[in-house]
């Protein structure tokens, strides 16, 4: 094994040199023709899913917009903004319910356009704030079911179609997959979905299916995924054991800190949608699209390349402030 190390190193260096050239050559190819191709998006009631559904509809795709509440304000607004019936169909899709996923697949199969099923965008997700012991086990189960198992459940259902048409799968992750600042439960699910995507991306290459991950920074003000939380709301949900350890002043400090982060979020959600569109239409899509501010990218860089003790020190300093 070790005798082959120099040859493997040389091969790696050659790949590092040749891959950018190959990507440039592919990017020079014509972009995908959307007409006659179908895309299913989860979590279209609001946020990135809502914006993406409208963008893809305008580009000419046939769009199946999965909404948790198909009769709600977000779904009705989506239909109105898309100009009523036609290439955009709103459907009920709770990714935690297998029967909803099966019904979505049946609807897609019965209304496939001539070029078939091109893309699946796993966008649905939820977020909350709270230190590890503040959240009950039921909350952990819910988050795993929506953010992780929901994406897996939908992906497994549509894999046969994606393999048949050599399509694309896009997953919504986050830079929070690399570190956490008070929302470890959300970070946990995003780190897990990244590993699922890494396995899936390699396995799907032989079928011509490409898998892409979107990693937004702080876009809390562009979506409804994380509303501000009051200290009183948090305190009222704590168990008696946790109340014996923490006091209201500490909870207030943490709530103020987290809400200040939310208030700094970008309002330009179209930046993230641009990345999602590129993942679906580029002849050479990236495996990962990080859409974040410079300071957020620096945090990811430190987390990925420096010892854990360095990242812990950086985050502890941030929390202390």
């Amino acid at each position: 094994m070790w005798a082959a190390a120099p040859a493997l190193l040389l091969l790696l260096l050659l790949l590092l040199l040749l891959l950018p050239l190959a990507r440039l050559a592919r990017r020079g190819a014509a972009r995908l023709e959307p007409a006659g191709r179908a895309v299913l998006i989860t979590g279209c009631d609001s946020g990135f899913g809502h914006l993406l559904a409208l963008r893809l509809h305008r580009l000419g795709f046939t769009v199946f917009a999965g909404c948790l509440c198909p009769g709600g304000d977000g779904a009705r607004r989506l239909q109105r903004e898309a100009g009523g019936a036609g290439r955009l169909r709103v459907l009920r899709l709770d990714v935690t319910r297998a029967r909803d996923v099966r019904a979505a697949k049946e609807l897609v199969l019965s209304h496939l356009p001539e070029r078939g099923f091109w893309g699946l965008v796993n966008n649905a997700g939820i977020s909350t704030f709270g230190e590890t012991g503040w959240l009950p086990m039921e909350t952990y189960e819910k988050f795993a079911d929506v953010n992780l198992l929901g994406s897996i459940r939908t992906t497994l259902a549509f894999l046969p179609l994606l393999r048949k048409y050599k399509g694309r799968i896009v997953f919504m992750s986050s830079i929070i997959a690399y570190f956490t600042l008070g929302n470890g439960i959300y970070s946990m699910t995003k780190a897990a979905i990244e590993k699922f995507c890494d396995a899936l991306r390699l396995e799907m290459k032989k079928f011509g299916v490409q898998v892409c991950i979107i990693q937004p920074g702080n876009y809390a003000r562009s979506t409804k995924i994380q509303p501000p939380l009051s200290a009183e709301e948090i305190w009222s949900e704590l168990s008696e054991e946790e109340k014996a350890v923490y006091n209201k002043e500490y909870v207030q400090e943490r709530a103020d800190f987290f809400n200040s982060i939310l208030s700094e979020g970008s309002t330009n959600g179209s930046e993230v949608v641009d990345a999602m569109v590129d993942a679906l239409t580029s002849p050479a899509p990236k495996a990962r699209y990080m859409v974040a501010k410079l300071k957020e990218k620096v945090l990811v860089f430190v987390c990925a390349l420096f010892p854990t003790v360095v990242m812990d020190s950086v985050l502890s300093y941030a929390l202390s402030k």
Side-chain angles (χ1 to χ4, degrees):
M1 175 182 170
W2 296 112
L8 289 173
L9 182 60
L10 179 60
L11 179 61
L12 179 61
L13 290 173
L14 286 172
L15 284 172
L16 289 173
L17 289 171
L18 295 175
L19 280 176
L21 296 175
R23 180 171 288 131
L24 282 173
R26 291 198 304 272
R27 282 188 172 272
R31 296 184 76 83
L32 179 82
E33 173 53 53
R37 300 181 193 268
V39 176
L40 172 70
I41 311 166
T42 67
C44 293
D45 301 79
S46 61
F48 300 135
H50 189 102
L51 294 173
L52 179 64
L54 291 173
R55 178 82 70 84
L56 294 183
H57 178 259
R58 286 196 295 269
L59 287 173
F61 283 99
T62 296
V63 179
F64 294 90
C67 292
L68 185 62
C69 302
D73 291 341
R76 289 200 300 269
R77 189 171 71 254
L78 186 59
Q79 290 176 313
R80 185 169 62 251
E81 291 170 341
R87 285 182 293 98
L88 189 147
R89 292 177 180 272
V90 170
L91 61 146
R92 174 180 172 79
L93 183 50
D94 179 345
V95 295
T96 68
R97 294 158 62 103
R99 65 183 183 185
D100 275 17
V101 175
R102 286 195 300 269
K105 184 177 180 180
E106 290 170 6
L107 180 69
V108 168
L109 284 170
S110 62
H111 294 88
L112 270 183
E114 59 272 20
R115 289 181 174 171
F117 189 71
W118 175 250
L120 170 64
V121 182
N122 287 299
N123 168 74
I126 54 177
S127 179
T128 194
F129 162 76
E131 296 197 1
T132 302
W134 295 3
L135 305 170
M137 189 62 202
E138 292 77 13
T139 302
Y140 282 94
E141 291 171 346
K142 179 180 180 181
F143 270 69
D145 204 10
V146 175
N147 292 359
L148 175 60
L149 299 180
S151 291
I152 296 172
R153 186 176 289 114
T154 309
T155 298
L156 293 179
F158 284 89
L159 267 186
L161 276 175
L162 290 160
R163 286 194 293 251
K164 178 179 179 180
Y165 293 104
K166 303 184 186 302
R168 307 274 172 94
I169 315 175
V170 180
F171 290 84
M172 181 59 69
S173 181
S174 170
I175 62 167
I176 294 299
Y178 295 93
F179 60 88
T180 179
L181 282 171
N183 55 348
I185 189 170
Y186 183 67
S187 179
M188 169 195 77
T189 60
K190 293 306 180 182
I193 203 67
E194 292 255 350
K195 294 301 104 181
F196 174 75
C197 291
D198 285 343
L200 185 67
R201 184 177 60 255
L202 292 174
E203 294 164 3
M204 289 298 106
K205 283 183 180 294
K206 58 182 171 286
F207 299 108
V209 176
Q210 302 199 57
V211 179
C212 304
I213 304 172
I214 311 298
Q215 299 173 316
N218 184 0
Y219 282 84
R221 294 168 67 196
S222 301
T223 71
K224 294 181 179 179
I225 191 171
Q226 177 61 73
L229 288 172
S230 70
E232 195 58 44
E233 286 178 279
I234 299 169
W235 183 260
S236 66
E237 295 295 324
L238 293 186
S239 67
E240 292 305 315
E241 290 88 348
E242 293 301 306
K243 287 179 179 178
V245 175
Y246 299 95
N247 56 44
K248 285 189 175 181
E249 288 75 19
Y250 180 83
V251 173
Q252 183 69 62
E253 288 176 1
R254 295 276 68 80
D256 290 344
F257 170 76
F258 191 67
N259 290 334
S260 70
I261 292 178
L262 296 179
S263 69
E264 295 173 0
S266 173
T267 58
N268 188 11
S270 62
E271 296 171 341
V272 178
V273 174
D274 289 344
M276 298 165 87
V277 171
D278 191 79
L280 288 166
T281 62
S282 171
K286 301 176 184 178
R288 283 176 167 83
Y289 291 80
M290 186 174 293
V291 190
K293 297 175 183 176
L294 178 59
K295 65 178 182 180
E296 294 169 332
K297 291 180 178 179
V298 169
L299 271 177
V300 171
F301 177 81
V302 171
C303 184
L305 298 181
F306 284 73
T308 301
V309 65
V310 175
M311 192 62 184
D312 285 353
S313 298
V314 171
L315 296 179
S316 295
Y317 176 78
L319 286 166
S320 71
K321 297 298 179 180

